[in-house]
């Protein structure tokens, strides 16, 4: 079926290192992708997004890469900080449903000192 | 801006009782979404509204669930009767009228529902 999924359910990195969180999608019709961060007890918070006509987009300490050939999306966090510890979700626009977002299951990022 | 406001933050009820969750979207936003989050299924879209009109309710689990949006600043999600398997965190999100249809959603803090 068509779905958005994550390669790693948990990721542990040391403070100061770079983090890479991966996501696979299966719907080639999706044209918009987005990453959210969710801290415990809070709602998902927007990090960065990218449209399918781009393959890279940078924000503050974060970069999203899109590889449409293999239907792969990644989030790179530079110089990871303890405050980056959270669950990260990728999402794609949901075709045939007015562009409501379809979320993956999430990757838990733990930053150790 | 206060962001998307949901109430209550926590709800504990007994099986069979009616539960009503409330949401106030960001002022000026014209699309509103209800999601449910569980460990097993992640974030699932239940229903969404555009200009107060339900557009897609295919994610609503069954007839026990209903949602309304009587005006641009208020929406409810009702479960009647509630069952233990409805226990989850329910999120409301909104999207601005000025944004393209496939741009980011702004989420509330969620309602943690426990049905005993």
């Amino acid at each position: 079926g068509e779905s958005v999924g994550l390669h790693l359910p948990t990721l542990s990195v040391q403070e100061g290192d770079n983090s890479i969180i991966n996501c696979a999608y299966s719907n080639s019709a999706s044209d918009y992708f987005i990453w959210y961060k969710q801290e415990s007890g809070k709602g998902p918070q927007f990090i960065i997004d990218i449209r399918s006509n781009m393959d890279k987009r940078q924000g503050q300490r974060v970069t999203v890469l899109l590889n449409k050939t293999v239907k792969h999306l990644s989030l790179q966090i530079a110089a990871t900080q303890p405050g980056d510890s959270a669950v990260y979700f990728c999402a794609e626009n949901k075709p045939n449903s007015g562009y409501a977002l379809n979320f993956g299951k999430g990757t838990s990022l733990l930053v150790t000192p | 801006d206060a962001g998307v406001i949901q109430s209550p933050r926590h709800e504990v009820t007994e099986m069979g009782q009616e539960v009503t969750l409330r949401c106030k979207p960001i002022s000026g936003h014209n699309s509103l979404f209800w999601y449910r989050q569980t460990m097993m299924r992640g974030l699932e879209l239940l229903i969404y509204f555009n200009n107060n009109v339900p557009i897609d309710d295919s994610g609503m689990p069954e007839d026990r669930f209903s949602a309304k949006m009587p005006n641009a600043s208020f929406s409810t999600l009702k479960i009647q009767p509630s069952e233990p398997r409805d226990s989850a965190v329910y999120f409301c999100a909104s999207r601005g009228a000025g944004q393209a249809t496939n741009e980011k959603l702004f989420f509330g803090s969620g309602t943690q529902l426990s049905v005993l």
Side-chain angles (χ1 to χ4, degrees):
Chain A
E2 297 173 342
S3 64
V4 177
L6 291 163
H7 292 170
L8 297 174
T10 58
L11 179 64
S12 182
V13 297
Q14 279 200 310
E15 182 178 356
D17 287 351
N18 296 334
S19 302
I20 300 176
I21 302 172
N22 296 303
C23 178
Y25 67 96
S26 58
N27 194 331
S28 57
S30 297
D31 61 2
Y32 174 78
F33 305 88
I34 189 168
W35 283 97
Y36 280 88
K37 172 186 180 182
Q38 186 177 23
E39 297 173 285
S40 180
K42 297 183 179 180
Q45 180 183 15
F46 168 80
I47 301 174
I48 193 168
D49 57 3
I50 189 168
R51 300 187 189 279
S52 59
N53 60 353
M54 302 171 68
D55 53 19
K56 180 179 179 179
R57 192 169 187 214
Q58 287 184 294
Q60 186 177 14
R61 284 200 306 118
V62 294
T63 300
V64 56
L65 298 176
L66 175 63
N67 186 330
K68 294 182 287 294
T69 302
V70 295
K71 299 191 185 70
H72 185 266
L73 190 70
S74 67
L75 176 70
Q76 300 178 357
I77 305 173
T80 313
Q81 303 169 358
D84 295 327
S85 294
V87 177
Y88 289 80
F89 294 93
C90 63
E92 59 177 340
N93 67 321
K94 187 177 178 183
N96 304 318
S97 190
Y99 299 102
L101 294 176
N102 182 32
F103 284 82
K105 294 252 186 318
T107 291
S108 177
L109 176 65
L110 177 63
V111 182
T112 58
Chain B
D1 196 320
V4 176
I5 300 174
Q6 291 186 247
S7 64
R9 286 284 280 131
H10 303 275
E11 176 79 35
V12 180
T13 190
E14 292 188 343
M15 182 175 64
Q17 296 297 307
E18 177 179 297
V19 175
T20 299
L21 311 180
R22 297 173 174 80
C23 176
K24 176 179 167 54
I26 293 172
S27 178
H29 282 192
N30 72 332
S31 295
L32 184 141
F33 303 76
W34 283 101
Y35 282 85
R36 177 173 68 177
Q37 185 176 39
T38 61
M39 288 297 293
M40 290 297 295
R41 302 171 71 91
L43 272 162
E44 302 174 277
L45 176 67
L46 299 178
I47 185 171
Y48 88 94
F49 297 83
N50 194 42
N51 293 322
N52 312 337
V53 176
I55 302 299
D56 180 9
D57 65 354
S58 60
M60 296 286 262
E62 48 197 274
D63 291 346
R64 297 185 297 108
F65 286 69
S66 62
K68 294 182 179 180
M69 192 165 186
N71 56 63
S73 60
F74 184 66
S75 177
T76 60
L77 178 67
K78 184 177 293 186
I79 308 172
Q80 166 63 18
S82 58
E83 296 182 3
R85 61 192 167 119
D86 301 331
S87 297
V89 182
Y90 290 80
F91 286 103
C92 176
S94 68
R95 182 172 64 206
Q99 296 172 282
T101 54
N102 58 351
E103 291 202 10
K104 56 183 176 284
L105 308 184
F106 294 84
F107 282 82
S109 297
T111 294
Q112 172 78 59
L113 173 65
S114 297
V115 183
L116 306 177

